[in-house]
Amino acid sequence: QVQLVESGGGLVQSGDSLRLSCAASGRAFSSNFMGWLRQAPGKEREFVATVSRRGFSTYYADPVKGRFTISRDSAKNTVYLQMNSLKPEDTAVYYCAAGPDLGAMRLGVAMDYWGKGTTVTVSS
């Protein structure tokens, strides 16, 4: 069974940093774009960031550009999301996902695998 397991969420203050981790099975990690999406209370799930299979290409949603960095470590089958300068509007459940391409990842559709999520709460 392919699994994605997120960790690293927590309660922080505005301006603080967090690093989220997503541990994946080898099959999911090596054959897919990996990415992060988030869902704030009462809102639709939205794309955050994604990284290509080899880690050479990345793409970010406008609200997180310049603040978040996505990366992947093939040796550990892990993808990370470094979040700096956090804002209250970043408060959400963050989900790790594996998908076939950038288009699917940005739309949050046709994902091959999903994690269960990790909660990030940013106070003002």
Side-chain angles (χ1 to χ4, degrees):
Q1 184 89 291
V2 173
Q3 290 186 315
L4 305 179
V5 181
E6 303 100 329
S7 62
L11 173 63
V12 298
Q13 296 184 67
S14 181
D16 285 353
S17 297
L18 281 174
R19 188 179 73 163
L20 305 184
S21 298
C22 174
S25 72
R27 182 169 66 185
F29 191 85
S30 63
S31 63
N32 290 275
F33 273 60
M34 300 295 298
W36 294 90
L37 299 96
R38 67 187 182 185
Q39 187 167 23
K43 297 184 178 180
E44 296 292 320
R45 186 175 295 170
E46 65 177 356
F47 167 76
V48 176
T50 189
V51 60
S52 63
R53 182 189 301 175
R54 293 178 293 178
F56 296 139
S57 298
T58 58
Y59 190 87
Y60 300 90
D62 287 342
V64 307
K65 287 181 179 177
R67 299 189 296 120
F68 291 10
T69 302
I70 188 170
S71 61
R72 61 195 297 163
D73 186 333
S74 296
K76 298 180 179 179
N77 284 357
T78 301
V79 61
Y80 303 96
L81 184 68
Q82 178 66 46
M83 305 184 294
N84 298 327
S85 301
L86 283 162
K87 306 174 181 179
E89 63 214 62
D90 295 317
T91 295
V93 177
Y94 284 71
Y95 298 91
C96 180
D101 53 46
L102 175 61
M105 190 66 67
R106 290 184 63 191
L107 295 173
V109 300
M111 295 294 100
D112 293 316
Y113 308 104
W114 287 95
K116 298 298 182 182
T118 185
T119 300
V120 172
T121 302
V122 185
S123 65
S124 59

